[in-house]
């Protein structure tokens, strides 16, 4: 079968009388990933991908089938119907607008137009900027992807989307002989190769290396409760991990979120406004989710009150609400509820105003991962670096510091928001699937926060 909307709609019309609902998602793409470590290329993957999936709903049960051979679409549709016939369930989909649209990512330089040799040279040049004294290892991963995706369903929605995404991730390790420290940063966007080519890569890599070097002489962090300032990155990680997953409605329905039954309840201070916005210029951008629902800016927390959840058509149907447009997945897997670009809205304070009244506190910067229990709302995040605040001034550099707490308590302790704003470039894992996301916010002041260190 040829890859076009008319053919896919023709298959829908042929099959739809046998099911209650049917959708087809087919995609062709090309991509490149390059991994370099210590100035040696370790891995290059480049190629073309093609695949299609069919979902059918009959008597409340899903049938799902996937193929990378478009000639087998009719065959896998029969398999999907057979699967749905063998299952018993109570799936109900939310009613959504029927749309016809064509989407194309705005690209100045298509990634497919750039030779692999140029991409390798650019990565090597980036590595040179991080090659400073005491740096013992430099790792870079570059990734780009272009795809043409068609989505059609039996309700009449028909979409064609040309999308492009490119990113670069840098890890730098510094050593003093007795101590090792890590610097990390990333950049990218839902655009073309110009995102990387036009970036100041020498500054990007040098600053990351300088962070790792600086940590070699930093003092071990103290432990206890302090007023803290979280930078844009750590603010984003906290909002994404500790709150964002908790408002995913499939997790709510699984009874694994502390935010269950908390809609229209105060969960943060008056200045806390949190959004998930696929429409913004961030790494998690998309125009339509994988169920053909138009994306929109979702206001999750308004003036400290939880006002909405993130949902798919299935989870929205179970909750008797409209889908938020947050159904996402790789094409070979079942759609699930996912975040996009999740952030805390900035305020109007300068960095100097945020710290001027702090007698003794800590400024935490960056993220080195952590852990979250969505059911209990507890979290612990490791910051990349930190600086002691004394009498309203930055003082001693610190290392090996973490932030922990309960999200319902921590959001109420936010009493100052910077006027700056930044989002990160990354991927989020859930149920074995990775999707591109952005998260961020302003510099954020949190009173009486629990900080962990080695002192």
């Amino acid at each position: 079968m040829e890859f076009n909307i008319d053919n896919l709609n023709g298959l829908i019309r042929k099959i739809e009388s046998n099911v209650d609902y049917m959708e087809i998602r087919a995609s062709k793409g090309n991509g490149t990933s390059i991994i370099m470590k210590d100035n040696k290329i370790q891995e290059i993957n480049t190629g073309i991908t093609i695949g299609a999936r069919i979902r059918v709903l009959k008597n409340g049960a899903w049938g799902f089938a996937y193929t990378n051979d478009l000639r087998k679409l009719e065959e896998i549709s029969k398999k999907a119907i057979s699967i749905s016939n063998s299952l018993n369930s109570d799936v109900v989909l939310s009613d959504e607008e029927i749309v016809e649209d064509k989407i194309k990512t705005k690209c100045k330089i298509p990634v497919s137009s750039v030779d692999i040799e140029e991409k390798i040279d650019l990565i090597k040049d980036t590595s040179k900027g991080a090659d400073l004294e005491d740096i013992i290892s430099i790792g870079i991963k570059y990734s780009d992807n272009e795809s043409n995706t068609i989505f059609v369903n039996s309700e009449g929605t028909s979409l064609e989307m040309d999308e492009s995404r490119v990113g670069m991730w840098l890890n730098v390790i510094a050593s003093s002989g007795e101590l090792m420290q890590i610097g990390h940063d990333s950049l990218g966007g839902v655009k073309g190769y110009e995102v990387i080519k036009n970036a100041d890569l020498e500054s990007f890599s040098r600053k990351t290396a300088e962070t790792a070097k600086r940590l070699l002489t930093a003092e071990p962090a103290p432990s206890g409760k302090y007023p803290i300032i979280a930078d844009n990155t750590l603010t984003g990680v906290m909002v994404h991990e500790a709150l964002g997953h908790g408002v995913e409605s499939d997790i709510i329905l699984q009874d694994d979120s502390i935010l269950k039954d908390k809609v229209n309840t105060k969960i943060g201070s008056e200045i806390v406004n949190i959004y998930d916005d696929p429409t913004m210029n961030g790494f998690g951008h998309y125009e339509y989710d994988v169920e053909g629902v138009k994306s929109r800016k979702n206001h999750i927390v308004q003036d400290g009150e939880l006002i909405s959840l993130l949902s798919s058509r299935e989870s929205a149907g179970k909750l008797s609400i409209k889908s938020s447009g947050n159904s996402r997945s790789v094409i070979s897997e079942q759609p699930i509820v996912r975040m996009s670009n999740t952030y805390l809205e900035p305020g109007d304070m300068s960095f100097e105003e945020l710290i001027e009244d702090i007698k003794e506190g800590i400024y935490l910067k960056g993220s080195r991962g952590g852990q979250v229990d969505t059911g209990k709302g507890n979290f612990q995040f490791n910051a990349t670096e930190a600086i002691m605040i004394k009498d309203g001034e930055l003082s001693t550099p610190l290392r090996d510091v973490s932030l922990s707490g309960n999200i319902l308590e921590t959001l109420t302790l936010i009493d100052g928001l910077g006027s700056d704003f930044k989002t990160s470039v990354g991927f989020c894992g859930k149920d074995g699937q990775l999707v591109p996301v952005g998260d961020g916010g302003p510099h954020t002041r949190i009173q009486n926060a629990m900080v962990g260190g080695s002192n």
Side-chain angles (χ1 to χ4, degrees), residues 12-50:
I12 290 275
R13 289 190 294 270
K14 187 175 182 179
I15 303 296
E16 63 182 344
S17 62
N18 298 317
V19 296
D20 300 320
Y21 170 82
M22 178 179 180
E23 66 182 30
I24 304 174
R25 187 174 183 88
S27 180
K28 286 182 176 180
N30 63 79
T32 298
S33 67
I34 304 170
I35 297 175
M36 187 176 80
K37 186 172 183 181
D38 303 333
N39 212 36
K40 295 181 180 179
I41 299 296
Q42 291 192 326
E43 185 178 311
I44 299 176
N45 288 310
T46 184
I48 296 172
T49 59
I50 186 168

Side-chain angles (χ1 to χ4, degrees), residues 198-269:
N198 295 341
D200 187 345
L201 296 175
E202 193 278 334
S203 175
F204 164 74
S205 56
R206 186 185 68 253
K207 288 179 179 179
T208 307
E210 288 173 348
T211 296
K213 281 173 57 68
R214 190 164 54 243
L215 288 168
L216 294 177
T217 56
E219 295 185 5
S223 297
K225 289 193 172 183
Y226 293 88
I228 70 154
I229 306 296
D231 79 340
N232 314 83
T233 300
L234 190 60
T235 293
V237 168
M238 180 179 70
V239 169
H240 174 104
E241 296 288 356
L243 178 107
H245 282 298
V247 297
E248 292 172 338
S249 54
D250 52 354
I251 292 181
I252 295 277
L253 290 165
Q254 292 164 15
D255 200 20
D256 192 27
S257 172
I258 195 173
L259 298 174
K260 183 179 181 180
D261 301 324
K262 290 291 193 298
V263 176
N264 301 322
T265 300
K266 207 79 167 176
I267 64 169
S269 68

Side-chain angles (χ1 to χ4, degrees), residues 47-87:
I48 296 172
T49 59
I50 186 168
R53 72 168 179 231
I54 291 178
R55 283 204 308 170
V56 301
L57 186 62
K58 187 174 182 182
N59 298 325
W62 281 120
F64 177 95
Y66 167 81
T67 182
N68 55 16
D69 185 349
L70 296 185
R71 295 171 300 180
K72 295 183 177 180
L73 278 179
E74 190 166 347
E75 178 183 329
I76 68 166
S77 68
K78 295 176 182 177
K79 184 178 293 185
I81 293 172
S82 176
I83 291 171
S84 66
N85 284 334
S86 66
L87 298 174

